[in-house]
Amino acid sequence: MKELVVRFEKESGLFSIESPIGGNRLECAKLELNWSSAFVWNQETLLETRLNTPLGEMSGYAISTEPKDGSILHFKVAGPETGDFALLHLSVENRSDRQQKIRRYSVVCDGHVPLDMPDGVRFSTLDGLSGAGETQVREGAEGWSSNNLLVTWISEGAWSDSLVAGGLTYEQFAKYVKTAPAEGGICLNLDAEDPVGRQLEPGERWDTNDWFYLDLASGSPYGALEKFAQRVRQANNAKPNPYSFPTVCAWYVSTPMFGNTDWMNDTPGTVREIEAARDCGFLEYAPVAVRLVPDTYDGESVRREFVSDEEWLHQYYRYKFSEDRNTEQGWWDDEHWNKFGHYAKPYETSKKWAQAIIERGGIPLTYFQTGHVSYDYAKAFPGHMLGNDISELDRIFKGHNPYVVFDYTDPGFIEHLTGVWKHLREAGVAGLMFDYPNQAWIEDGGFEDPKATTTSAYLNVFRLAKEGLGPDSYIHERNVARKVPYLDATVGLVDSQRVWGDTDGVDPVMYRMCGLRWYKTRTLYAYDTDAKNLTRIAERSRDQLRQVLTLLYLLTGRILLANSFTQMSEAVRHDLSRVYPEHPESLSPRPVDMFESLDNPRTYVLAFSPGEIHLLLSNFSTEESWQAQPKLFEANEVGGVGLDPDRQYHAYDFWNSAYLGICSAAEPFQQDLRPSEARMLVFRPLTNHPQVISTDRHVLQGHVELDNVSWDEAATSLSGSAKLVAGERMTVRIAHNGWEGLPVANVPGEVTVEMTGPDPQGILEMRLRGPSSGPVPWSLNW
């Protein structure tokens, strides 16, 4: 197959990259180092060779520039045999007799992507911001983003082509993309930046594992971004552990303005919470995690049970940061967690606490403040602080911006952290939240490691934790401070990212931010919109409760609770159980109307196969209904659901328990959604034999709770396996598709089965109930 073609112009220092697919190309691009781009190629160094890349060995080009100001740039461009994308890499050699500091470089500076643009072409961009970056589709070709950026163009109502560019791997620098309209095409810049930068000694060659990605050849914007995310996943060995369980945050539950229940932010309280989840039966559906939050700030252990709500809030939020602000932070050991009341008998050690949670069917998670330094720890270990400097330890600071912070590159501090993580791992603690990680984003230097950059030092926070707690741990990054660029630099180290400040509420923008990152969700990260008080949401309406649960499950991949299981009604627990377990695939639904609904997509499609397509419709208005008219038989790229126009489909509405009939391209399709309602519809192609079309167990209507469903033509039998929950009846809905009579059901003896139907629409119902949880084989014989 044809491969990428790269050309270099010696005197101008320009280069071009041409894809064999569609003839798309990048031209007139330059390299840039510290805002200088006047480099000339040394053609004698040009090699067409095989290059090692984060995605494996590929064909490519390697070339160097001639010396300029003592610097030589070594440039690589690689691509697969398919030629559908390019990987770009730059290293720097210091040939001078003095130190150099690299703070910024570009592998594509002012490159031009020429386009054959007919009249009426319409551009759109989608940024790739992370954390609390307000991801959004914008009209036009002008865009800027950390991480990655999509530019796509549409002509005459159909997509024409797409460009995806951004960072592939992150080791020492953050990555940025910028595009702008240009005559006859698009101007493109791919930059790497770091506030501190990388120090190069005389004669040193800096060859970081920071690579860029450029896709000039993918037509579909959805496919292009999904391929990009899969390649970032592969390059960074990213395997984010799925949050296939809800997490109860002990701090939210114990805080009057949020959960407002009895104090539980200590080890006995969290054990009681798991017991409550067990006793109400929820653990039959999924495990439950509890997050203990040792968050003392000012040296005083404030236990809510000892003071009134008003006094508790006054003390909790005053943040006086007095001279005696000795806390758990930095020590991170059982002694100090006991001293400040977060550990208590009979669970006064990490091991006793974690094992008690695990034995009851829960998952123990904890919490660290990334840079809030305990006063006594800083005085005991000044060398563990940034710049080995504690001279401003007594200086009063506001909010969460201390003047003395940890140095995550210091060998002594790293050794201490290694012991901390070893202790927690051996105890059984499964993961943690890093609060205020912006405190480790150091822009002024002072690292013990003179080669460390702002980015690499920041990554050390999470690398040490992931390595220490192990690959099965859950590492959470609260990336909501504007001081830190909204980066994907932690990909492969972090399992979930926070995208919102402290709240127990909901906002449509939360869902937009996560929904527009569908290609990263579950592939690179889960996203956390912060805690939700399901009881308060349910008081507003059952529709809104179901909407929140559906959107959190599908669009974010994580549900954090601000209320205890003791506060939940049976209806709330029931609806929560409908979104567990998580589907095992690293897939999230496409926002197929994102180019039409720029404010907030309302139509999402999750296709596991052509034979199983799920449609999520969400009405974000709390007062007005919405008449949705999804384009069932059009492609995702033009806002459609993607059903095959040559086939007919059974459709079922999960939350409303409604069969919607057989859909075809010849018939209009409309759904009238109530205020704050989300609908989960599944479409399965009509067959010439009986087929399963839905269940009442899970919003994906059979995808996770049914296995091995098949039709045996010779035996005229439909069979499969159902994952039952002890004592709960599961209804499996079957379209008889013209087959007469009620089938004979066969299930194991301890399982009861009831068959009803068919109803006037031709739907049978098989209701299964068993005394224990687990998979049960079943068959229906006609």
Side-chain angles (χ1 to χ4, degrees), residues 330 332 370 373 377-378 380-390 404-419 421 440 442 445-454 456-461 463-464:
W332 297 313
T370 314
V373 177
Y377 186 89
F381 301 101
H384 294 183
M385 305 301 119
L386 189 69
N388 302 322
D389 183 4
I390 63 169
V404 174
V405 296
F406 302 113
D407 180 358
Y408 283 87
T409 76
D410 179 81
F413 188 53
I414 291 172
E415 182 180 2
H416 168 64
L417 282 172
T418 301
W421 301 131
I442 309 299
F447 304 120
E448 194 74 21
D449 179 359
K451 304 294 185 182
T453 64
T454 297
S456 68
Y458 182 78
L459 294 183
N460 250 14
V461 176
R463 180 178 294 108
L464 292 167

Side-chain angles (χ1 to χ4, degrees), residues 434-445:
F434 279 106
D435 206 354
Y436 319 118
N438 54 289
Q439 295 166 344
W441 183 261
I442 309 299
E443 298 189 342
D444 299 324

Side-chain angles (χ1 to χ4, degrees), residues 308-493:
S308 67
D309 286 352
E310 182 179 358
E311 176 62 16
W312 188 87
L313 280 173
H314 172 71
Q315 292 191 51
Y316 196 90
Y317 287 104
R318 65 183 175 178
Y319 297 137
K320 69 176 183 180
F321 296 109
S322 60
E323 290 186 2
D324 63 347
R325 64 174 190 280
N326 298 331
T327 69
E328 301 108 317
Q329 306 307 318
W331 297 108
W332 297 313
D333 59 16
D334 294 357
E335 176 187 349
H336 289 82
W337 285 318
N338 273 277
K339 178 179 178 180
F340 292 96
H342 293 105
Y343 281 18
K345 291 182 178 182
Y347 313 111
E348 71 275 18
T349 70
S350 294
K351 188 165 187 175
K352 287 182 179 180
W353 169 63
Q355 293 305 309
I357 298 294
I358 293 168
E359 288 165 4
R360 289 159 174 78
I363 298 171
L365 304 176
T366 191
Y367 163 102
F368 278 35
Q369 293 172 356
T370 314
H372 273 304
V373 177
S374 179
Y375 193 83
D376 55 358
Y377 186 89
K379 296 185 79 171
F381 301 101
H384 294 183
M385 305 301 119
L386 189 69
N388 302 322
D389 183 4
I390 63 169
S391 60
E392 294 189 292
L393 187 62
D394 294 328
R395 184 177 175 186
I396 302 300
F397 57 90
K398 295 181 180 179
H400 302 290
N401 301 290
Y403 296 103
V404 174
V405 296
F406 302 113
D407 180 358
Y408 283 87
T409 76
D410 179 81
F413 188 53
I414 291 172
E415 182 180 2
H416 168 64
L417 282 172
T418 301
V420 169
W421 301 131
K422 182 175 185 290
H423 170 69
L424 291 176
R425 182 176 185 175
E426 290 176 348
V429 175
L432 79 157
M433 168 187 175
F434 279 106
D435 206 354
Y436 319 118
N438 54 289
Q439 295 166 344
W441 183 261
I442 309 299
E443 298 189 342
D444 299 324
F447 304 120
E448 194 74 21
D449 179 359
K451 304 294 185 182
T453 64
T454 297
T455 305
S456 68
Y458 182 78
L459 294 183
N460 250 14
V461 176
F462 308 97
R463 180 178 294 108
L464 292 167
K466 195 64 171 179
E467 292 174 353
L469 290 179
D472 294 332
S473 61
Y474 297 91
I475 308 299
H476 177 61
E477 176 189 15
R478 184 182 183 263
N479 187 4
V480 299
R482 293 190 179 275
K483 177 184 175 183
V484 183
Y486 297 130
L487 297 177
D488 284 337
T490 54
V491 63
L493 303 174

Side-chain angles (χ1 to χ4, degrees), residues 126-137 476 496-500 507-523 525-530 532 548 550-559 587-591 594 599-601 604 616 620:
L126 172 60
D127 64 70
L129 297 174
S130 200
E134 294 191 10
T135 306
Q136 192 167 4
V137 174
H476 177 61
S496 63
Q497 274 191 342
R498 176 100 159 252
V499 305
W500 207 265
D507 188 310
V509 176
M510 293 176 176
Y511 306 126
R512 183 194 76 204
M513 290 163 55
C514 298
L516 292 178
R517 300 174 192 171
W518 84 95
Y519 57 102
K520 298 182 185 181
T521 307
R522 296 181 172 86
T523 299
Y525 298 99
Y527 292 106
D528 174 14
T529 62
D530 207 28
K532 301 291 171 277
V548 168
T550 305
L551 294 174
L552 289 178
Y553 165 49
L554 287 173
L555 305 190
T556 78
R558 185 173 189 195
I559 297 179
L587 292 175
S588 295
R590 292 174 167 181
M594 67 179 183
D599 289 337
N600 206 344
Y604 289 85
L616 165 61
F620 292 108

Side-chain angles (χ1 to χ4, degrees), residues 113-161:
V113 180
L115 302 174
D116 181 15
M117 297 185 295
D119 293 339
V121 68
R122 177 167 63 91
F123 286 93
S124 295
T125 65
L126 172 60
D127 64 70
L129 297 174
S130 200
E134 294 191 10
T135 306
Q136 192 167 4
V137 174
R138 293 175 173 84
E139 292 184 341
E142 185 171 355
W144 175 93
S145 181
S146 53
N147 310 312
N148 60 278
L149 187 73
L150 164 79
V151 183
T152 189
W153 43 103
I154 299 172
S155 177
E156 299 178 352
W159 56 270
S160 299
D161 228 331

Side-chain angles (χ1 to χ4, degrees), residues 630-633 643 645 647-648 660-670:
K631 297 177 283 189
L632 297 185
F633 295 91
L643 302 186
R647 302 198 68 172
Q648 295 178 305
L660 304 181
I662 296 174
C663 303
S664 71
E667 300 291 334
F669 186 80
Q670 177 177 304

Side-chain angles (χ1 to χ4, degrees), residues 188-204:
L188 173 67
N189 285 270
L190 284 175
D191 305 324
E193 295 184 18
D194 189 83
V196 168
R198 176 58 160 80
Q199 179 176 300
L200 270 67
E201 302 299 326
E204 181 182 1

Side-chain angles (χ1 to χ4, degrees), residues 35-98:
W35 300 274
S36 174
S37 59
F39 292 94
V40 177
W41 297 114
N42 182 349
Q43 297 285 11
E44 294 179 0
T45 67
L46 178 61
L47 291 174
E48 294 187 38
T49 184
R50 300 289 292 177
L51 296 173
N52 291 320
T53 80
L55 297 179
E57 188 178 274
M58 295 181 180
S59 296
Y61 299 78
I63 190 172
S64 302
T65 66
E66 295 183 356
K68 178 179 182 293
D69 297 330
S71 297
I72 296 177
L73 310 186
H74 302 281
F75 184 51
K76 299 175 185 176
V77 181
E81 292 181 356
T82 53
D84 58 329
F85 66 89
L87 304 181
L88 297 87
H89 180 270
L90 187 68
S91 61
V92 182
E93 186 175 355
N94 181 6
R95 289 285 186 90
S96 73
D97 58 359
R98 64 186 186 280

